[in-house]
């Protein structure tokens, strides 16, 4: 319908873990889509970078890509590459195409896995998310009780009724050695905890994570202060989050 009206379709490829090797986005009708390399292709994330998000386009947009574009050159005994300027290029971007080292890492990851390995990513990511969902659905409220893709979305409403919010559950996870999941998103889920185990976690790690969340649920009833005042073992405990956003302190200083 969009194409019939003369428009183009943009896709948000922020997380492709459930689709790799199984869906061709061009066949779905997308004309342009970005990929978050840190979520799907093993690159670093956090602390402001390094980061890079390649943009994939359909053939009709290729003439407008930023310059230069790497092309394979013919001739010579081995692979040869050169730089080319698309016919109607929008020009050179001020930051070029992001952090080049991150792009190389993601490309190496893809080539190392190959077609079969790429497809296994989606299989394992979906399996891990559903494994967590089944294991925790009787402990944390599950607003959508159906097979999920790469994300299992819970609500901490049951814990909130006993005095501990989703934020406090997430803070307590830090004491168990786990990074907190995405909190309060999606917005349509009250006290949301969105857990994305991806394909890379072992069953042992998943079981330890499940047990930690079950232990925290028990603490909400038996020793609520452990949860409501968490974390207890990190170098810094509760921050003034509004002040931290307005006046961030990005330099670490040793105690004393």
């Amino acid at each position: 319908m969009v194409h019939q009206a003369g428009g183009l379709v943009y896709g948000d490829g922020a997380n492709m873990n459930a689709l790799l090797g199984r869906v061709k986005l061009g066949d779905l009708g997308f004309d342009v889509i970005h990929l978050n390399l840190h979520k799907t292709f093993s690159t670093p994330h956090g602390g402001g970078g390094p980061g890079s998000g390649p943009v994939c386009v359909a053939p009709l947009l290729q003439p407008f890509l930023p310059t230069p574009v790497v092309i394979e050159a013919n001739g010579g005994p081995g692979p040869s590459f050169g730089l080319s300027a698309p016919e109607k290029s929008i020009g050179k971007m001020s930051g070029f195409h992001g952090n080049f080292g991150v792009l190389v890492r993601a490309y190496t990851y893809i080539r190392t896995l190959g077609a079969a390995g790429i497809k296994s990513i989606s299989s394992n990511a979906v399996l891990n998310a559903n494994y967590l969902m089944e294991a925790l659905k009787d402990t944390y409220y599950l607003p959508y009780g159906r097979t999920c893709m790469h994300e299992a979305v819970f609500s901490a409403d049951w814990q909130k009724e006993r005095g501990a919010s989703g934020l406090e559950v997430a803070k307590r996870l830090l004491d168990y050695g786990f990074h907190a999941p995405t909190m309060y998103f999606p917005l349509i889920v009250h006290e949301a905890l969105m857990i994305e185990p991806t394909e890379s976690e072992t069953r042992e790690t998943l079981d330890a994570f499940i047990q930690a969340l079950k232990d925290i649920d028990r603490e909400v009833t038996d020793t609520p202060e452990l949860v409501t005042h968490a974390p207890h073992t990190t170098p810094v405990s509760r921050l003034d989050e509004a002040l931290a956003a307005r006046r961030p302190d990005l330099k670490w200083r040793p105690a004393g």
Side-chain angles (χ1 to χ4, degrees):
M1 183 170 62
V2 173
H3 288 151
Q4 290 174 353
L8 300 177
V9 180
Y10 176 84
D12 181 354
N15 195 326
M16 297 294 294
N17 289 58
L19 302 178
L20 287 182
R22 301 181 182 279
V23 176
K24 290 186 176 181
L25 299 176
D27 292 346
L28 298 180
F30 292 113
D31 299 297
V32 57
I33 186 169
H34 80 273
L35 300 174
N36 282 3
L37 298 183
H38 62 269
K39 286 190 176 181
T40 307
F41 298 106
S42 85
T43 67
H45 183 220
S52 187
V55 177
C56 310
V57 301
L60 79 163
L61 291 175
Q62 288 180 8
F64 303 95
L65 286 173
T67 185
V69 172
V70 177
I71 60 171
E72 188 170 4
N74 296 323
S80 179
F81 300 90
L83 299 177
S84 173
E87 180 184 356
K88 300 178 181 179
S89 174
I90 62 173
K92 188 174 182 179
M93 299 173 63
S94 60
F96 193 40
H97 294 303
N99 187 298
F100 182 72
V102 172
L103 293 171
V104 172
R105 172 171 171 153
Y107 180 69
T108 304
Y109 182 70
I110 293 168
R111 292 300 300 267
T112 301
L113 286 169
I118 287 291
K119 194 171 184 178
S120 72
I121 287 178
S122 55
S123 298
N124 291 328
V126 172
L127 177 64
N128 286 350
N130 280 277
Y131 182 75
L132 285 178
M133 184 183 72
E134 287 297 316
L136 291 168
K137 66 181 182 180
D138 294 329
T139 306
Y140 291 82
Y141 174 56
L142 187 66
Y144 303 103
R146 58 176 182 260
T147 302
C148 65
M149 294 182 72
H150 60 284
E151 301 166 339
V153 180
F154 294 95
S155 166
D157 269 351
W158 291 345
Q159 289 69 32
K160 186 68 175 289
E161 291 171 357
R162 288 176 282 144
S165 67
L167 173 65
E168 289 162 338
V169 170
K171 295 285 190 184
R172 180 61 175 151
L173 266 174
L174 301 177
D175 290 328
Y176 283 84
F178 291 104
H179 193 286
T182 300
M183 299 175 296
Y184 301 131
F185 187 85
L187 300 178
I188 58 174
V189 176
H190 189 246
E191 294 293 325
L193 296 172
M194 185 171 72
I195 303 173
E196 305 173 71
T198 76
E199 74 288 344
S200 58
E201 301 296 350
T202 64
R203 180 172 177 178
E204 289 76 16
T205 300
L206 295 177
D207 286 341
F209 182 77
I210 291 165
Q211 189 59 53
L213 280 171
K214 289 184 176 181
D215 289 346
I216 293 170
D217 174 69
R218 186 178 65 253
E219 291 171 349
V220 171
T221 298
D222 296 343
T223 51
E225 66 280 357
L226 282 178
V227 181
T228 56
H229 292 83
H232 305 279
T233 60
T234 55
V236 178
S237 186
R238 291 294 180 100
L239 297 174
D240 182 330
E241 296 180 2
L243 183 63
R246 287 168 173 76
R247 287 192 290 169
D249 183 357
L250 304 179
K251 183 177 180 180
W252 178 82
R253 300 176 182 83

